[in-house]
């Protein structure tokens, strides 16, 4: 059971977007964008530079006001939601930003406890206990609890941010380039961790990435942003057959061919970190 108790639960899809338009001045980023993320699925989101991946994420998170359209999170229209309803949506979601976005003045454990202080009435002792549990789930050694972000490696920063995103037992997890900046071994271990957590905790995952290995390894489907909207949404193996110019180049260009070869030669079973 989540540490945050809600009285406004809705059983709609985790994410449902209809007719989204994002525009800055005369520049249209998204035009009539539709996207639905089914419960319990891991969705990868890809697109070329300027396709609006980050703009889409910010719109869903309520960090950016879109021009028109509708975004429902768990059936709740975020544009018309009350403050209480918005808090409920936020409590059911966790976010891992690309840089980790840890508070530099707080320890690892204190960072993980921040959502609990904001959304729950747990005392500090209870919050610490839950925070240590989330560290374990994210694969962090418990002796890292009192370390400052500046003392962490890139991989540990990602795991600390992941632990914080899990603090409220979310149903929906947003990942922004989760393997960016990691070496191949660390990236593979992080992918395996995400897949394991999604399965064991029943998470729905919305993951922006450019990492082909991640797409092939852990996603159920991939949504492709191009031409100002979602031009395709399918498993990677199906997208390989697409004749859309950008999709074809993405999956069949030099990096795509390498990713496919790695997929074909990857032994079964998760790698250990």
């Amino acid at each position: 059971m989540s540490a945050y108790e809600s009285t406004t639960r809705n059983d709609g899809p985790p994410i449902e977007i209809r007719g989204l338009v994002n525009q800055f001045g005369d520049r249209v980023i998204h035009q009539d964008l539709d996207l639905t993320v089914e419960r319990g699925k891991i969705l990868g989101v890809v697109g070329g530079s300027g396709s609006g991946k980050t703009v889409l994420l910010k719109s869903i998170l309520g960090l950016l006001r879109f021009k028109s359209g509708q975004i429902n999170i768990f059936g709740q229209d975020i544009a018309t939601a009350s403050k209480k309803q918005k808090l409920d949506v936020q409590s059911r979601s966790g976010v891992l930003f690309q840089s980790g976005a840890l508070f530099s003045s707080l320890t690892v454990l204190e960072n993980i406890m921040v959502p609990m202080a904001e959304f729950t009435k747990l005392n500090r002792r209870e919050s610490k206990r839950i925070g240590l549990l989330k560290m374990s789930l994210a694969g962090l050694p418990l002796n890292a609890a009192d370390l400052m972000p500046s003392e962490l490696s890139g991989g540990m920063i990602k795991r600390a941010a992941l632990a914080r995103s899990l603090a409220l037992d979310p149903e929906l997890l947003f990942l922004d380039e989760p393997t960016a900046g990691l070496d191949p071994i660390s990236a593979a271990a992080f992918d395996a961790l995400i897949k394991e957590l999604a399965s064991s905790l029943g998470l729905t995952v919305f993951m922006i990435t450019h990492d082909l290995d991640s797409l092939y390894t852990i996603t159920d489907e991939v949504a492709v942003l191009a031409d100002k909207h979602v031009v395709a949404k399918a498993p990677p193996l199906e997208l390989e057959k697409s004749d859309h110019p950008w999709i074809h180049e993405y999956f069949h260009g030099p990096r795509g061919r390498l990713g496919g070869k790695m997929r074909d030669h990857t032994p079964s079973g998760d790698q250990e970190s």
Side-chain angles (χ1 to χ4, degrees):
M1 181 179 294
S2 172
Y4 175 83
E5 295 297 334
S6 168
T7 59
T8 59
R9 291 294 162 98
N10 192 301
D11 291 328
I15 303 174
E16 187 174 26
I17 303 172
R18 293 290 177 263
L20 180 68
V21 176
N22 270 306
Q23 183 173 348
F24 303 109
D26 295 330
R27 184 186 175 202
V28 178
I29 307 300
H30 301 133
Q31 182 71 49
D32 296 327
L33 185 152
D34 295 334
L35 178 65
T36 298
V37 183
E38 291 83 9
R39 191 177 302 273
K41 300 295 185 180
I42 299 179
L43 178 76
V45 180
V46 301
S49 177
S51 61
K53 300 184 294 295
T54 299
V55 171
L56 176 60
L57 177 61
K58 288 182 176 181
S59 297
I60 296 172
L61 294 176
L63 301 176
L64 180 68
R65 180 174 295 182
F66 46 92
K67 183 176 181 181
S68 62
Q70 186 171 351
I71 299 178
N72 292 339
I73 308 296
F74 300 115
Q76 178 62 59
D77 185 341
I78 63 172
T80 61
S82 65
K83 182 177 180 180
K84 183 177 182 180
Q85 289 168 330
K86 288 180 179 178
L87 287 173
D88 175 62
V89 168
Q90 292 171 10
S91 74
R92 299 174 72 182
S93 308
V95 186
L96 191 161
F97 294 101
Q98 182 174 344
S99 64
L102 298 178
F103 296 104
S104 60
S105 60
L106 301 180
T107 66
V108 167
L109 184 56
E110 288 170 340
N111 265 280
I112 298 168
M113 292 164 58
V114 167
M116 289 178 270
E118 183 175 358
F119 287 97
T120 78
K121 297 180 180 179
L122 295 173
N123 60 43
R124 188 169 179 83
R125 182 178 178 181
E126 293 171 328
S127 295
K128 282 185 174 182
R129 180 178 57 81
I130 294 174
L132 291 171
L133 173 61
K134 302 307 178 180
M135 286 182 62
S136 295
L137 284 176
L140 273 176
L142 297 186
N143 59 13
D146 295 326
L147 295 179
M148 306 301 290
S150 60
E151 299 176 280
L152 303 179
S153 66
M156 290 181 72
I157 288 175
K158 297 278 190 181
R159 289 174 184 264
L162 177 61
R164 184 177 62 185
S165 73
L166 297 173
L168 298 177
D169 299 335
E171 301 166 53
L172 176 60
L173 186 62
F174 294 95
L175 306 176
D176 185 10
E177 299 283 5
T179 59
L182 299 181
D183 63 81
I185 295 176
S186 297
F190 201 82
D191 280 341
L193 175 63
I194 294 299
K195 186 173 183 177
E196 179 183 352
L197 289 173
S199 176
S200 61
L201 301 179
L203 299 173
T204 301
V205 180
F206 180 99
M207 178 177 68
I208 293 176
T209 186
H210 68 278
D211 192 330
L212 279 158
D213 294 340
S214 296
L215 295 180
Y216 280 113
T217 303
I218 68 172
T219 63
D220 295 299
E221 290 187 310
V222 177
V224 181
L225 290 182
D227 309 327
K228 301 178 183 178
H229 60 280
V230 175
V231 296
K233 176 172 170 276
L237 290 177
E238 290 186 24
L239 290 177
E240 288 182 358
K241 305 171 186 177
S242 173
D243 57 3
H244 185 281
W246 190 89
I247 298 176
H248 186 272
E249 177 61 23
Y250 185 78
F251 283 96
H252 296 280
R255 292 177 65 89
R257 288 194 294 270
L258 179 60
K261 289 178 181 178
M262 292 182 67
R263 177 202 74 223
D264 294 338
H265 292 87
T266 298
S268 60
D270 291 340
Q271 296 184 31
E272 296 295 331
S273 60

